[in-house]
């Protein structure tokens, strides 16, 4: 078939041209393999080191593609160079000269025939930076400070992408707004109060873009206030509805609490006449799958009306006081109660430390659990009391297998007591470089992701960090606070799910006794203050509430932790933005018991180098507080994660990927989901 070209005319109408083109395509469609295809859409040329990567959209029924190109810097024109026989919709053009500009046009073909060419795209080969390893967004008033490692030798600048959804930041060149940054931090100002944004930082080298780094959030909160009984902020699912509850209130899985009727629930003994309630620990002491409540006191040990109570969960949102624990007569000015299987027999034991420096006979109690029956063995264990002086008074505490030998140790009262495995403990404080501090909260956490546990401690005014090197804590570094503020309370969690654990401390003005908790975001091991919204001010800005005890957990399933604070009443600072780049890990006994408190879990991402995230199964920690038993681990790096748990019998290792939820049993079984 011979086609006669239309006569040339500069007055040819658009409709006629369109009709003629349609006729030509229709005629050619009947010519067997000589079909003319439409132009490939959305071509992209991305420069690399000595190469250009080309991509385009597939053309229906096209059998192959042709790429025509020219080296514009070398003076070529007219696309004299041809690459034939491409069957994929991408091609890497190698052997090119760096810093030359190359232009490309792509054609779809079928049996030797070609349709019209695509739009012309160009690229300049040259060095390409990698991806940034981490990004942290700190809020300071109406400013977002975006921190990232600006150390890539191939980067001469950075793009700070920002969007209202994480999906808008996907891909190597996200379809989102961005700001140009020369160094870290990039300061974005002004932003509206309470602005909630997703960020991604990608390094640049000239026109060449690097690879996508982690998507992160600005930690932005909505605060809800609840008038609840004054118990310590301890969290567990007490009524089997998969929501995290408090000892005296239930949650609706959205971070909203409803107070129990204490009398109906059988918990009115917590506030009986003459009793001063202290810490509460939610823990399954009889291995029936229902968290029970052990509540200590804060009063003189000689005060017979103020004694610790163990409430056994009856499974119908009611509790019954345990006569055996009541008969022990546990009293005193209590610190942070710790729950863990200290003797590795499968039952969760309880350690209730008290101030031994007074004249009221206060001492510590180590309650060995034998099938739900408790015996005090503190004296035989070497834990009855400790050194004299206010710097040794037990306030904060944590049960943790510090030396990773499969036996859970105890940190409290400026002492690290190492578990010998025979019912006794040895003071390992000096060997660990632990100094004496009158703490108002402490926590072990792997702040620098080097695989070991660092220490954060709060005294009345100042928060300090002690980095761990080879099992020895280094010198104290003040990270927050001064003589004008004071606060009793500290908790640790990965508040923005970036893989680095952050710190929240209680903080009130000395002059008024009122204030707002302090959020210290972890920026590659350094702790930097970031705003928490102040929901406790009058129109004149005067603070009207005090804060003390704190914990954090994901209260609404958003993938990022929220802050639960005893702040005047109770307040939940719930994060506004969700994030799915996490791992959820539940560690259980061989029979499914929640009895692995204090165990070490190490998470090693393949997507970055030299990083190990070390986590501890919650036993009660900080200052008279308790977070979620399950681990919520930020997983910002793509690829596989190696997950290792140090059980009493040894290490067990498995693997996971972003978004996974795993249950790991002490006998080595791994089950998908949280069982």
């Amino acid at each position: 078939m011979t086609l006669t070209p239309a006569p040339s005319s500069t007055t040819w109408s658009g409709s006629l041209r369109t009709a003629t083109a349609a006729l030509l395509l229709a005629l050619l469609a009947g010519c067997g393999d000589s079909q003319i295809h439409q132009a490939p859409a959305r071509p992209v040329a991305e420069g690399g080191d000595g190469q250009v990567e080309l991509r385009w959209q597939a053309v229906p029924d096209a059998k192959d593609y042709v790429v025509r190109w020219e080296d514009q810097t070398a003076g070529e024109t007219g696309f004299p160079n041809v690459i034939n026989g491409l069957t994929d919709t991408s091609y890497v053009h190698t052997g090119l000269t760096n810093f030359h500009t190359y232009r490309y046009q792509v054609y779809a073909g079928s049996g030797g025939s070609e349709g019209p060419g695509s739009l012309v795209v160009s690229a300049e080969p040259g060095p390409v930076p990698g991806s940034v390893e981490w990004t942290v967004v700190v809020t300071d008033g109406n400013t977002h400070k975006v921190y990232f490692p600006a150390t890539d030798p191939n980067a001469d600048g950075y793009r700070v992408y920002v969007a209202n959804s994480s999906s808008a930041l996907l891909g190597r060149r996200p379809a989102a707004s961005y700001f140009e940054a020369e160094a870290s931090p990039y300061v974005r100002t002004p932003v509206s109060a309470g602005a909630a944004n997703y960020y991604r930082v990608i390094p640049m080298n000239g026109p060449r873009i690097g690879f996508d780094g982690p998507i992160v959030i600005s930690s932005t909160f909505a605060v809800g206030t609840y008038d609840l009984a004054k118990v310590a902020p301890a969290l567990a699912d007490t009524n089997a509805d998969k929501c995290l509850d408090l000892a005296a209130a239930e949650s609706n899985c959205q971070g909203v609490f409803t107070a129990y009727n204490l009398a109906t629930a059988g918990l009115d003994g917590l506030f009986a006449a003459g009793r001063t309630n202290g810490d509460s620990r939610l823990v399954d002491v009889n291995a029936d799958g229902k968290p029970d409540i052990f509540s200590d006191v804060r009063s003189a040990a000689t005060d017979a009306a103020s004694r610790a109570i163990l409430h056994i969960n009856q499974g119908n949102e009611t509790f019954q006081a345990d006569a055996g624990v009541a008969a022990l007569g546990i009293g005193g000015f209590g610190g942070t109660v710790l729950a863990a299987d200290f003797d590795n027999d499968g039952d969760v034991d309880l350690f209730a430390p008290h101030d031994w420096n007074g004249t009221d006979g206060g001492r510590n109690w180590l309650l060995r659990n034998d099938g739900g029956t408790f015996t005090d063995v503190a004296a035989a264990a070497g834990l009855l009391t400790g050194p004299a002086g206010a710097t040794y008074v037990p306030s904060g505490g944590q049960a943790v297998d510090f030396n990773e030998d499969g036996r859970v140790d105890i940190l409290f009262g400026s002492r690290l007591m190492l578990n010998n495995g025979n019912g006794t403990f040895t003071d390992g404080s000096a060997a660990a470089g632990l100094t004496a501090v009158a703490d108002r909260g402490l926590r072990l956490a792997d702040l620098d992701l080097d695989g070991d546990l660092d220490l954060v401690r709060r005294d009345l005014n100042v928060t300090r960090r002690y980095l761990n090197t080879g099992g020895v804590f280094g010198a104290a570094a003040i990270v927050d606070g001064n003589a004008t503020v004071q606060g009793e309370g500290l908790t640790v969690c990965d508040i923005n799910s970036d893989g680095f654990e952050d710190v929240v401390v209680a903080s009130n003005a000395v002059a008024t006794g009122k204030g707002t908790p302090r959020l210290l975001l972890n920026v590659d091991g350094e702790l930097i203050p970031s705003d928490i919204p102040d929901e406790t001010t009058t129109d004149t800005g005067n603070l009207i509430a005090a804060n003390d005890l704190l914990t954090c957990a994901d209260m609404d399933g958003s993938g990022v932790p929220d802050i639960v604070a005893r702040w005047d009443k109770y307040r939940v600072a719930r994060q506004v933005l969700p994030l799915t780049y996490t791992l959820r890990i539940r560690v259980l006994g061989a029979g499914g018991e929640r009895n692995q408190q204090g165990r070490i879990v190490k998470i090693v991402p393949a997507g970055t180098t030299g990083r190990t995230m070390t986590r501890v199964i919650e036993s009660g920690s900080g200052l008279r507080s308790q977070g979620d038993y399950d681990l919520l681990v930020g997983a910002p790096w793509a690829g596989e994660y190696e997950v290792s748990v140090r059980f009493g019998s040894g290490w067990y290792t498995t693997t996971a990927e972003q978004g996974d939820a795993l249950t790991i049993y002490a006998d080595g079984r791994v089950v998908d989901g949280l069982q």
Side-chain angles (χ1 to χ4, degrees):
M1 179 182 295
T2 301
L3 296 178
T4 303
S8 175
S9 172
T10 58
T11 61
W12 218 24
S13 71
S15 58
L16 181 58
R17 287 197 302 270
T18 301
T20 303
L23 175 62
L24 290 172
L25 290 174
L27 291 171
L28 288 172
C31 298
D33 290 339
S34 299
Q35 180 179 355
I36 293 179
H37 295 279
Q38 64 191 39
R42 297 185 181 177
V44 175
E46 199 73 74
D49 195 357
Q51 64 184 35
V52 170
E53 178 183 352
L54 296 167
R55 301 186 304 277
W56 56 90
Q57 286 190 341
V59 174
D61 298 325
K63 293 185 177 180
D64 56 21
Y65 300 92
V66 174
V67 173
R68 302 184 184 277
W69 62 276
E70 64 188 20
D71 181 346
Q72 188 177 44
T73 305
E76 292 181 341
T77 59
F79 299 96
N81 310 294
V82 181
I83 302 168
N84 290 304
L86 303 179
T87 56
D88 292 330
T89 56
S90 64
Y91 177 72
V92 179
H93 191 194
T94 59
L96 304 180
T97 304
N98 280 348
F99 310 115
H100 279 213
T101 298
Y102 293 84
R103 286 162 39 91
Y104 297 89
Q105 200 165 20
V106 184
Y107 299 78
S110 180
S113 300
E114 295 178 9
S118 70
L119 295 175
V120 175
V121 291
S122 63
E124 178 187 282
V128 175
S131 61
V132 300
E133 181 190 5
W134 51 264
T135 302
V136 180
V137 183
V138 170
T139 301
D140 184 5
N142 66 344
T143 296
H144 283 172
K145 295 181 179 178
V146 185
Y147 291 83
F148 52 91
T151 57
D152 192 318
N154 288 326
D156 57 13
Y158 298 84
R159 286 184 178 177
V160 179
Y161 285 87
V162 60
N164 294 323
S165 69
S166 59
S167 60
L169 297 179
L170 295 175
R172 192 169 171 188
R173 290 184 182 267
S177 301
Y178 64 84
F179 304 94
E180 301 283 357
E182 295 182 0
S184 173
Y186 173 77
V187 179
R188 181 188 174 203
T189 190
V191 294
S192 60
N197 294 121
Y198 292 88
Y199 286 87
R200 191 171 216 169
V201 177
I202 303 181
M204 301 292 296
N205 183 297
R208 292 168 295 281
I209 195 166
F211 294 90
D212 43 347
I215 296 174
V216 301
I217 60 172
S218 60
S219 293
T220 308
F221 303 89
V223 179
T225 303
Y226 308 97
D227 193 358
L228 308 174
K230 289 287 187 178
V231 295
L235 298 169
D237 179 9
T238 60
N239 55 7
D241 64 353
K242 298 185 179 180
C243 306
L244 290 174
D245 308 306
L246 291 167
E250 64 178 344
S251 167
N252 68 346
C253 289
Q254 295 298 318
V256 176
F257 286 113
T258 301
Y260 287 134
N261 181 309
L262 295 182
T264 301
L267 296 172
D268 48 337
L270 294 175
F271 299 96
R275 186 178 188 277
T276 305
N277 198 53
D279 194 14
S280 291
R281 194 59 57 243
L282 276 60
V283 56
D284 183 6
V285 300
N286 54 8
D288 65 353
K290 300 185 287 289
D292 310 299
I293 306 172
F294 177 84
S295 300
D296 204 358
V297 292
R298 290 184 60 77
S299 50
T302 54
D303 187 350
S306 192
R307 291 290 183 255
I309 306 174
L310 173 63
H311 284 99
I312 301 299
N313 192 334
Q314 303 300 297
N316 57 0
E317 296 193 353
T318 65
F319 298 81
Q320 182 174 322
D322 180 77
V325 167
L328 294 173
I330 300 171
F333 291 99
T336 303
V337 174
L338 306 178
D341 183 9
F342 294 112
D343 55 3
N344 276 348
D345 69 346
D347 296 321
V348 181
D349 311 303
L350 297 168
F351 179 62
H354 296 82
D355 183 1
W356 56 75
N357 280 280
T359 59
D360 63 340
R363 66 175 181 88
N364 304 321
W365 299 73
L366 178 60
L367 304 183
R368 186 184 67 207
N369 185 353
D370 296 305
T373 300
F374 291 90
T375 304
D376 177 38
V377 295
L383 294 173
L384 194 68
T385 59
T391 54
Y392 290 97
V393 171
S395 294
Q398 189 176 10
V400 54
D401 183 4
F402 180 74
N403 52 9
E404 301 178 12
D405 63 356
R407 301 188 291 266
V408 180
D409 311 306
I410 300 177
L411 177 65
F412 76 107
S414 296
R415 292 191 299 160
L416 175 62
M417 301 301 292
L418 299 176
N419 191 334
N420 297 318
N422 59 0
T424 67
F425 290 76
T426 298
D427 193 337
S429 308
L434 187 66
T435 55
V437 172
D439 77 87
R440 298 295 194 276
L442 59 82
R443 180 72 180 267
L444 291 166
D446 186 3
L447 297 177
D448 51 6
L449 303 194
D450 66 349
D452 55 29
L453 293 171
D454 311 300
L455 174 63
V456 182
R457 277 197 294 193
R458 168 97 179 157
D459 65 20
L460 190 60
N461 306 105
V462 173
T463 305
R464 294 176 173 85
R465 181 202 65 191
Y466 307 77
L467 293 180
N468 182 344
T469 303
V472 179
F473 297 116
I478 294 177
V479 295
D480 189 57
N482 54 61
T484 67
V485 296
Q486 60 185 15
E488 298 192 14
L490 176 148
T491 191
V492 171
C493 59
D494 184 0
I495 202 73
N496 50 9
S497 291
D498 66 349
F500 293 83
E501 292 203 279
D502 311 294
V503 178
V504 188
V505 297
S507 181
N508 301 285
V510 171
T512 64
K514 301 168 184 178
T516 302
R518 295 276 282 176
L519 170 59
L520 307 176
L521 287 180
N522 189 335
V523 180
D524 197 22
E526 299 294 328
L527 297 174
I528 297 178
S530 184
D531 288 349
I532 293 176
D534 178 14
E535 293 288 327
T536 59
T537 58
T538 65
D539 291 338
T540 58
N542 297 316
L543 294 171
I544 60 173
N547 61 93
D548 57 0
L549 307 184
L550 305 144
T551 191
C552 47
D554 183 3
M555 299 299 298
D556 57 3
S558 65
V560 286
D562 310 301
I563 299 170
V564 180
R566 201 169 71 174
W567 183 2
D568 179 27
K569 299 176 182 179
Y570 267 90
R571 301 179 194 271
V572 178
R574 189 176 58 81
Q575 296 229 52
V576 172
L577 295 177
L579 200 60
T580 59
Y581 305 107
T582 60
L583 302 175
R584 294 182 185 269
I585 302 171
R586 179 172 292 172
V587 180
L588 299 176
E593 308 89 349
R594 295 197 182 199
N595 60 1
Q596 299 300 311
Q597 291 90 343
R599 301 297 183 195
I600 296 293
V601 181
K602 293 182 181 288
I603 304 101
V604 180
T608 189
T609 302
R611 298 290 195 180
T612 298
M613 297 181 284
T614 303
R615 300 290 188 265
V616 182
I617 305 300
E618 175 70 301
S619 65
S621 61
L623 179 67
R624 302 196 303 277
S625 67
Q626 174 188 343
D628 193 0
Y629 178 89
D630 296 332
L631 295 179
L632 174 63
V633 182
W637 302 289
E640 193 172 75
Y641 290 74
E642 180 184 89
V643 180
S644 301
V645 183
R646 182 45 162 115
F647 290 105
S649 59
W651 288 95
Y652 184 82
T653 299
T654 185
T655 58
E657 294 185 353
Q658 282 179 331
D660 281 355
L662 299 177
T663 300
I664 305 173
Y665 293 84
D667 59 7
R669 288 177 294 134
V670 178
V671 179
D672 289 337
L674 300 183
Q675 303 298 307

